[in-house]
Each structure stands twice: as C-alpha cells, then as structure tokens.
Amino acid sequence: MTRGELRIYLGAAPGVGKTYTMLEEAHRRAERGTDVVVALVETHGRRHTQAMLADLEVVSRRKVQYRGVDFTELDVGAVLARAPELVVVDELAHTNVPGSRHGKRWEDINELLDAGIDVLSTVNVQHLESLNDVVAQITGVEQRETVPDAVVRAAEQVELVDMTPEALRRRMAHGNIYQPEKIDAALGNYFRTGNLTALRELALLWLADKVEDQLDKYRTDNKIDKTWETRERVVVALTGGPEGETLIRRAARIATRTASPRSGGVDLMAVHVTRNDGLAGADPATLARQRILVESLGGSYHQVAGADVPQALLDFARAVNATQIVLGVSSRGKFAQMLSAGVGVTTTSLSGSIDVHLVPHERASQGRSARRIPAALSRGRRIAGYVATTAGLPALTALLSAGPSLSLTNDILLFLAAVVGVALIGGLWPALLAAVAGSLMLNYFFTPPVGRFTIAEGDNLLALAIFVAVALAVSWVVDTAARKTRQAAQAGTDAQILATVAGGVLRGERPLLALLERLRETFTLDSVTLLEKGVVVAEAGGRVCTRSVDADAEVKVDDELTLLMKGRPLQASDRRIIEAFAAQATVALRQERLTAEAATAKPLAEADRMRTALLAAVSHDLRTPLSSAKAAVASLRSPDVDFDDDDRAELLETADESLDRLTRLVENLLDMSRLQAGALGVHPIAVGAEEVVPRALDDLGPTGRDVAAHIPDDLPYVHADPGLLERVIVNLLANAQRYSPADRPPAVTASALGDKVEIRVIDHGPGIPEDRWDDVFLPFQRLGDRDNHTGVGLGLALSRGLTEAMGGTLTPEETPGGGLTMILTLPTAAAA
C-alpha cells in the first residue's frame, strides 16, 4: 500500500490563519472530486473558521474520560473505517488524553498515513522541538506540547502561513482571535510586537533550512553536480601567500557588486586547500591574518584537504553551490608554467558553469622564492650514516672477499641491503654516498675483470645500473618519509598550540593579556612584551623588555608593533607559531582600544548633548512663563490703565498659571538631577493602582474626566512609592492627551501578569516610528509636537527614571489601529 502524503501549514503564532488556510485547501480538493473528511478542527470560537466547516463531512470525535472529566480526541478507528482520500486533522503537536490510542496526535496521523490516507495538519513554530527553548526565552512562556522536527521535515509539503506582527495585532484588537476579556493581556504579553517579529523570523529561517535540505536532496538524488544559481556564492582560493589579501578584497568587491534584492545577499567564502597528508605548506601566520580579514568583511573561512588542489577546490565549490571562484594568477616562473598548466588554468578548464576570476597580483609569474628544505633527520643520525658508509662498506667488501665465492647477483643484493641500512640510519646524503661507493666496490672487486674499473659483460653493467637506481630510489623514499614524519609531528604540535591559544583567549576577559600570557606559558618564557613605536602597550611576565637588545627573540608584527620575548632563544620552527600569535595580538589590541574609545566617548558625547539640549530648551521655557508673569504683574501695577474686576482676575490667572508652569519645570529639572546623581528619595510600599489612578486623573484637572479608565477591583497591590507613581501616571496621561484626537481621548488600563502588574496608557494619535521609540525617553527631546514651543521634553525621561527607581520598567508599544501605548510594569507587593 502506498503511504499517504502529509501537508503541514506552519505558522509563527496563533491567529495567523493556519486552520483557515488548511480548510480552504480542503474545499479546493473537494471541488476537484477528492473524498475529503474533517476528523478534527479546533475553531476556538472564531466565526470565520467555523463557517469554513460548512459543506465538509465531519467525522465524530471519540470521547475519553480522564479523572472524572470528559474529553474529545481524534477517532483514528472511525477515520480508518471511513477510509477517505484526504483527512483534515488540526494541531499536530497536541498531546492526547491518557488512555488514547497514541500519546501524541502526530502518532495518530502517522497511522493514517500508513493506511494510505493523505493528511492536512497545522503546527506553530513554538511547538517544534528544536526551537522550544528558544521560544521560551523570547516569550517567557514554556510550551509543553512539542513535536519532533523530523516529523515536520518528513512532510511532503510544508507551507508557511505568514502575517506581519502589525496585522496580527490588529486582528487581535478587532476580536478575531481571542475573546474581548483576553485581548488586553494577550497584546501585552505573548503578542508583543518584538515577540511576534522574533517568532516570524524563526519560522522563516526554519522553513528556509527545510527548503535548502529539499534542494540538496533533489540534487543528490538526481546526481546533479552543476551549480544552480539560487543564491550567489563567491569562493576565493588562498594559498597562504602574501597575495591572499588582494584576492580577498577583490572577491569582496565582486560579492558586493553581485548582491541583489532577488538573491537576498551574497555568501563570501575563503578556502585553503592543504595536502591530504596533513602537512601544512603555507605560513600559518599569513593564513591567520587572511582569515581575520575574510571574517571582518562578513565572509567565512574554510580549510579542506586534497592531493589534487584544483579538483579539491572545485569539489568544495560545487558542494556549497558556489557560482564564482576567485584565484590568483600563478606565481610560478615561465619555465614551470611550460611544464604544467597550473592550478588556475586547470580549475578554469574544469569549472563548468562556475565563473572563474584570475586576479593579477605583484608576485604573478615571478617565480616562487626558494625555500630552504629542512633536514629530515638530526645531525647525529646523519653523522652515524656517514660512519656506517665509510666503515661498513669496506668491512662488507672484506668479508665477501675472504669468504666463499658468491654470484654477482648475491653480492649486489648484499650491497643494496647495506645502502638501505645506511638510508635508514642517516637519510638521503649518506645513502647517496653509500650507493656510489658500493657501485665502485662492486665494479672493482666483484665484476669481471676483477681489479679494474671496467665491465666485460653487458648483464653485469645492467645489474650495477639497477643497483644504483634502486639504491637512489630507496634512499629518496626513506628520506622523504622521515621528513614528512617530522613535518607532520610539527604540524600537529602547532595545531594543538593554536587550539589551546584560541580557547584561552576566548575565555579571557582581556584578550590581549590572555594571548600574551598564553604565549609566555607555551614557550616557557620569562616575559613577553608588545611594543608600539618603542612604547610598551602590554606585557606578560615579570621581566619587561623595552629594547630589542635586551630580548632573546624579536618578531616584527607590522611597521608599528613589535613582539619582544625574553627567557630563551627560539628555534626557527617556533617563529611560525609566534607570528600567528602576533597576528591575533594585533586584532586583540585594536578591539580593546575601540572598546575603550567607545566607552570614553559615550559619556562625553552624552554630556555634551545634554548640555546643548538643556541650554536650547530651558532658555526658552524658563523665559516664556517668566515673561508672561512679569507682563501680567507689570500691567496690574501700571497707573496708566484702570482695569475692571474681570480684567484684573484674568491677569492674575495668567500670572498664576505661568508661575505654576515655572514651578513644574524647576521641579522636573531638580528631580532629573537627583536621578542622575542617585540622590532621589524613594519609599516604596504596597499600594493599589485603583487608588493612584483616580488621584492622577484629578491632578489633570477638567481634562482628566475625558480619560477612560479600566482598573480591575481584584488587581494585586504593587510595590511602589505612591507619590512617584502618581506623578509618572500624570506625566504619561498628559503626554497622551497632547497627541490624542478630540474624539478619541486616551485610556488607562491595568492587568496582572504573573508577579507583575502592567498599567497601560493608550493614545490613538499619530504614533511614533518604532526606530524612534528610544528617543522619546531622552531628556530635552520633543518628537513630533504639534506645539513645539511648550515643555522641555522632560516628562517621559523623568517618568522612565522614576519608574526604574521604583524597580519597574516603562516601555512603548504601538497601539493597534494607530497611536502609542506606554506600558508601566511594576512588581507586585507579594513578589517584592
């Protein structure tokens, strides 16, 4: 029997329309003649979803009693007996009541699929097992019902039902998701804009991974190794030479030019191909610097092994579905290029649909600089090899001459064994000497005519030639194996040191000092000092070096930085690792300086901005009420005008209002200064919001009667200073009144969320763009005031400061339908 197909509708949050979209598909299938039944759909009282069940056959649910309570679950047996072509089963991650056929609903669906029935189902991203903890961190709500990712990934189709956070919150506000009494708490808790945005991104990324997996599977199943340009990916090949930085920057420019809205950006990847014997032929310090450069440009660094460099490079490029490869023009000389095509030319000829860029550089076609080949064996072993040659070959000759006569073939084999022994002891050069000396002794003492350096028979000449060739070949192989063994051991040691260094630096709070200390410990040095233009910038150890003549080793990092080490001379092989240390030290120093500069500049810039804003705002706002009060008083004192009672009362009222404004301004300035100095007195007690909010409305005067207040009687007491809390609410309401239209006055509501209470001040004005939300809490900022000549912009800044002084938070949020909502969150008295 053919297994049924599963189609899943994935959503970021409840209410995006998964069930509705699933039922739309069920109707389309039914209209095309498919036998469709609905086994289980949760409408949650949503009238539009309930309407979609019309004209669809519904299979009755199975009733299950658990602990005296009746529940309904999916009736798998009834669906199997009905045997439709397609069945609709909502909420894939649901946990069944104990005593059900299976523990989880996705297991019920698996049984239906095994029976050959196609299934439509739904799931939210927060129920995916791999994202469960991430969602809990974002929303603060732990989801106990989960479904393994493998179940969803195994579905034939996964369709994302998407909706912007703003649209979803409007649906919520219009009552299309939850009942009215739950809307306010939902908007302030799970359905915050930030939560919904994060959940939406998780859903998009998870689905993108599934699509990528599907594409990779399709390419693998169909044996497709050609590049599909679904996304631009630029691969730059690094040899470890100095030209690498030029290639990286050129590749980055190519990636920038290639980026387009359609492709959604370009991946930049640098790759270094090492020989598959594990031996590093490139300079690790140079590669370390180039890796840092790639990552600073937003790319990634990779390292692969392969005997055939062009083929390994192309295998990597095709594996990552690369579209372009950037290579440097060959650094080999013209004669070497005549002998072999080289990596660049070979890669271009085999690249197929991948574009290859050959980039010229300063070292192109100049030939590689000769590198000193390190000795494969120690000096003592080479001396032992020469001794074995000079003493052993004469002894062997004497022994063969004095003993029973052997054939020339046996003599040659014995001398060949002696040459192999010398190669094993002393390496290449002693073995070459042994091969030449052995051939001469065989010719003189054992090849007819004996006693002369001539050969009478052609067979003997051939045997001696084979002897020399085999001796040379064996000597070369032994020497090469010894050299590679030594290099491999050194490479392993270097890799282990660098890994240890990386771990130590990452765990340290100060990367530069941790790096220098690790370098000192690794090479058992007394001290390591980093100089910049001769000045000490960092040191590890007790004996600081300030001059090159005082150091045992010196590594030049760049034109300005020098690394001095004291304690013991360093071997040439150690310098390669130390240069990698030095490259990392440069980056660490720059990062520490940037961090320090940012920390120093921030308070200075803030103080300067505050001072400028204070002078600009206060100079106007102090002058205005003073001028009004002075004008009113001057008019009353003037003997030239005889005011009647009404005029006199109006002038007195003007003076009184102006002085009140001046008093509030001075109080706000004083409170702000106390907050910044940490000298504000806060006396929190248990207080009820239903007591403070009415007093705040009274403080607003006649306009306070227009504010709609909804404060539950059973709201828990909050832990706050009553006077400061009242002042915060007055400031928030006054700010909301300023921007609210006349026909839609502001509102204040309150609700309990766990061990906290939220007081929400809601206006339906023009609102503020989300990227300016933080700016409204800056002192002396007035964003979008219709009357920009009143107030110094201290109200919201002071409100947030007072709230935080009481242990609460004040955050803005978009009002569904337009406007701004200020959320004042305080701990409950019981929690405090």
Side-chain angles (χ1 to χ4, degrees):
M1 178 181 296
T2 303
R3 180 178 166 86
E5 293 187 356
L6 174 61
R7 181 169 185 171
I8 296 175
Y9 294 87
L10 174 67
V16 295
K18 302 180 302 300
T19 304
Y20 189 91
T21 305
M22 177 179 64
L23 291 173
E24 282 185 328
E25 177 64 18
H27 276 282
R28 282 192 293 269
R29 299 276 190 98
E31 290 170 0
R32 293 198 297 263
T34 304
D35 182 16
V36 179
V37 300
V38 175
L40 191 145
V41 166
E42 299 291 356
T43 65
H44 300 289
R46 300 165 190 167
R47 61 183 184 277
H48 298 297
T49 306
Q50 290 175 339
M52 289 296 293
L53 289 174
D55 302 327
L56 291 176
E57 179 184 347
V58 179
V59 175
S60 299
R61 303 186 189 187
R62 187 172 67 92
K63 293 183 179 180
V64 180
Q65 191 175 72
Y66 179 66
R67 294 184 177 178
V69 180
D70 290 333
F71 297 90
T72 61
E73 295 286 2
L74 170 65
D75 193 336
V76 178
V79 175
L80 293 175
R82 171 63 176 76
E85 295 179 73
L86 175 68
V87 61
V88 178
V89 183
D90 206 3
E91 297 186 357
L92 180 69
H94 172 76
T95 300
N96 294 329
V97 175
S100 300
R101 190 168 184 145
H102 299 288
K104 302 286 289 188
R105 186 166 293 166
W106 61 265
E107 295 175 316
D108 294 337
I109 290 175
N110 265 342
E111 185 174 353
L112 298 177
L113 294 171
D114 291 337
I117 302 173
D118 295 342
V119 179
L120 302 181
S121 189
T122 64
V123 71
N124 281 330
V125 69
Q126 66 262 31
H127 296 296
L128 296 173
E129 183 67 45
S130 65
L131 300 177
N132 185 256
D133 57 339
V134 179
V135 174
Q137 292 175 3
I138 293 171
T139 64
V141 179
E142 183 178 358
Q143 301 291 338
R144 299 190 180 279
E145 293 188 327
T146 60
V147 59
D149 290 48
V151 174
V152 184
R153 291 189 183 276
E156 281 69 24
Q157 298 181 63
V158 178
E159 179 177 330
L160 179 66
V161 183
D162 193 24
M163 180 176 289
T164 64
E166 294 77 13
L168 183 57
R169 285 172 58 82
R170 282 196 295 271
R171 288 195 65 192
M172 174 73 71
H174 294 158
N176 294 331
I177 301 177
Y178 291 158
Q179 298 300 317
E181 62 273 9
K182 298 182 179 180
I183 293 176
D184 183 65
L187 287 173
N189 189 22
Y190 194 88
F191 284 80
R192 295 175 187 266
T193 303
N195 290 357
L196 297 177
T197 302
L199 292 174
R200 187 188 188 201
E201 183 177 12
L202 284 176
L204 291 169
L205 291 174
W206 191 94
L207 189 60
D209 287 342
K210 175 175 171 55
V211 173
E212 186 78 16
D213 292 343
Q214 288 178 325
L215 178 61
D216 292 342
K217 183 177 183 300
Y218 179 83
R219 286 164 54 85
T220 302
D221 292 344
N222 291 273
K223 296 180 174 58
I224 298 173
D225 56 4
K226 294 183 178 180
T227 300
W228 284 10
E229 298 185 16
T230 56
R231 180 181 178 89
E232 289 287 346
R233 289 184 173 90
V234 180
V235 171
V236 53
L238 303 178
T239 64
E243 76 279 357
E245 295 185 5
T246 301
L247 301 182
I248 292 169
R249 292 189 173 93
R250 177 63 65 86
R253 291 196 293 272
I254 292 173
T256 301
R257 290 196 301 267
T258 312
S260 66
R262 175 186 64 82
S263 64
V266 176
D267 292 335
L268 173 63
M269 290 172 281
V271 59
H272 173 65
V273 179
T274 61
R275 291 155 54 187
N276 59 1
D277 55 11
L279 303 180
D283 184 0
T286 303
L287 284 176
R289 289 192 295 269
Q290 293 172 2
R291 177 174 188 166
I292 294 170
L293 177 60
V294 169
E295 294 174 348
S296 69
L297 294 173
S300 58
Y301 177 84
H302 307 267
Q303 195 157 332
V304 298
D308 187 343
V309 174
Q311 191 60 51
L313 177 61
L314 288 171
D315 289 343
F316 173 82
R318 293 189 178 107
V320 299
N321 203 23
T323 56
Q324 303 185 64
I325 297 177
V326 177
L327 288 155
V329 173
S330 177
S331 300
R332 301 178 305 147
K334 294 181 179 180
F335 181 74
Q337 294 183 38
M338 293 173 58
L339 296 178
S340 63
V343 174
V345 175
T346 305
T347 302
T348 304
S349 63
L350 300 175
S351 64
S353 60
I354 303 177
D355 297 337
V356 178
H357 305 266
L358 291 177
V359 179
H361 51 86
E362 293 181 355
R363 297 181 65 243
S365 302
Q366 293 183 0
R368 292 192 177 98
S369 58
R371 293 181 58 191
R372 178 178 178 272
I373 300 176
L377 300 175
S378 65
R379 183 180 179 183
R381 288 189 60 177
R382 294 199 304 274
I383 293 176
Y386 287 121
V387 171
T389 301
T390 55
L393 292 183
L396 178 61
T397 302
L399 180 63
L400 292 176
S401 299
S405 178
L406 300 175
S407 66
L408 179 62
T409 302
N410 291 328
D411 293 336
I412 290 176
L413 289 176
L414 290 173
F415 270 88
L416 181 60
V419 172
V420 172
V422 170
L424 293 173
I425 295 172
L428 178 61
W429 297 110
L432 291 178
L433 177 62
V436 173
S439 65
L440 292 176
M441 291 181 178
L442 283 170
N443 185 359
Y444 188 84
F445 291 102
F446 302 104
T447 305
V450 176
R452 297 174 56 187
F453 288 105
T454 59
I455 301 175
E457 298 180 8
D459 290 346
N460 294 338
L461 178 62
L462 177 61
L464 285 176
I466 294 175
F467 163 76
V468 173
V470 171
L472 292 177
V474 170
S475 302
W476 180 263
V477 169
V478 171
D479 184 80
T480 301
R483 180 179 293 109
K484 287 188 175 183
T485 301
R486 190 173 183 181
Q487 290 178 355
Q490 182 64 44
T493 302
D494 293 350
Q496 185 176 4
I497 292 173
L498 291 175
T500 305
V501 168
V505 171
L506 289 175
R507 290 189 295 270
E509 294 182 0
R510 300 187 62 184
L512 180 58
L513 290 181
L515 190 72
L516 297 183
E517 183 62 31
R518 182 64 64 179
L519 174 59
R520 188 186 68 83
E521 293 177 356
T522 300
F523 293 98
T524 61
L525 301 170
D526 293 336
S527 67
V528 178
T529 308
L530 183 64
L531 300 181
E532 183 177 26
K533 296 181 179 179
V535 179
V536 177
V537 293
E539 56 85 17
R543 302 171 62 186
V544 180
C545 291
T546 58
R547 299 181 304 169
S548 300
V549 294
D550 297 330
D552 294 313
E554 177 183 359
V555 173
K556 197 77 173 176
V557 181
D558 54 29
D559 294 337
E560 297 181 352
L561 295 174
T562 304
L563 203 61
L564 300 181
M565 288 149 285
K566 188 172 183 61
R568 65 178 180 87
L570 297 177
Q571 299 178 4
S573 58
D574 294 335
R575 296 185 67 88
R576 292 163 56 88
I577 299 300
I578 293 175
E579 287 176 358
F581 272 87
Q584 296 293 337
T586 304
V587 176
L589 175 62
R590 290 172 181 167
Q591 288 178 340
E592 287 190 5
R593 285 183 171 173
L594 287 174
T595 303
E597 289 174 2
T600 304
K602 185 175 180 180
L604 293 176
E606 181 67 18
D608 184 67
R609 188 196 64 77
M610 289 277 289
R611 184 163 46 248
T612 303
L614 176 62
L615 291 173
V618 174
S619 61
H620 175 273
D621 289 282
L622 283 174
R623 188 182 301 114
T624 301
L626 281 173
S627 299
S628 299
K630 183 174 177 60
V633 173
S635 299
L636 289 171
R637 295 185 61 190
S638 174
D640 300 330
V641 182
D642 186 15
F643 294 101
D644 58 21
D645 293 341
D646 292 338
D647 292 336
R648 185 176 291 103
E650 184 176 351
L651 288 172
L652 288 172
E653 184 178 358
T654 299
D656 185 57
E657 290 178 353
S658 298
L659 292 173
D660 285 343
R661 285 177 53 194
L662 185 61
T663 300
R664 287 195 297 269
L665 172 60
V666 173
E667 288 178 349
N668 283 341
L669 287 171
L670 289 174
D671 284 344
M672 181 58 70
S673 66
R674 292 192 188 101
L675 275 173
Q676 292 179 342
L680 182 69
V682 181
H683 305 285
I685 61 172
V687 60
E690 70 278 4
E691 302 172 7
V692 178
V693 172
R695 292 203 300 266
L697 296 177
D698 290 340
D699 290 344
L700 291 173
T703 59
R705 292 191 291 269
D706 298 331
V707 177
H710 305 284
I711 310 298
D713 295 334
D714 57 349
L715 197 67
Y717 279 11
V718 297
H719 187 68
D721 185 311
L724 298 184
L725 178 57
E726 179 181 339
R727 191 165 177 190
V728 170
I729 296 174
V730 169
N731 282 341
L732 296 179
L733 287 171
N735 191 71
Q737 284 181 325
R738 173 178 292 182
Y739 298 105
S740 293
D743 58 337
R744 299 189 71 185
V748 55
T749 66
S751 60
L753 292 172
D755 59 355
K756 299 183 183 300
V757 170
E758 285 191 348
I759 301 175
R760 309 169 73 87
V761 178
I762 305 164
D763 73 63
H764 300 280
I768 297 174
E770 185 175 350
D771 58 353
R772 301 296 306 277
W773 282 356
D774 288 338
D775 294 344
V776 302
F777 296 106
L778 297 177
F780 318 116
Q781 297 291 322
R782 295 188 291 249
L783 304 182
D785 283 5
R786 291 179 298 209
D787 177 10
N788 201 33
H789 302 289
T790 61
V792 293
L794 277 177
L796 290 179
L798 183 60
S799 296
R800 171 173 273 189
L802 296 177
T803 301
E804 292 176 350
M806 294 186 290
T809 60
L810 182 61
T811 55
E813 183 179 84
E814 182 184 1
T815 302
L820 191 70
T821 297
M822 286 293 177
I823 307 172
L824 172 61
T825 305
L826 291 167
T828 63

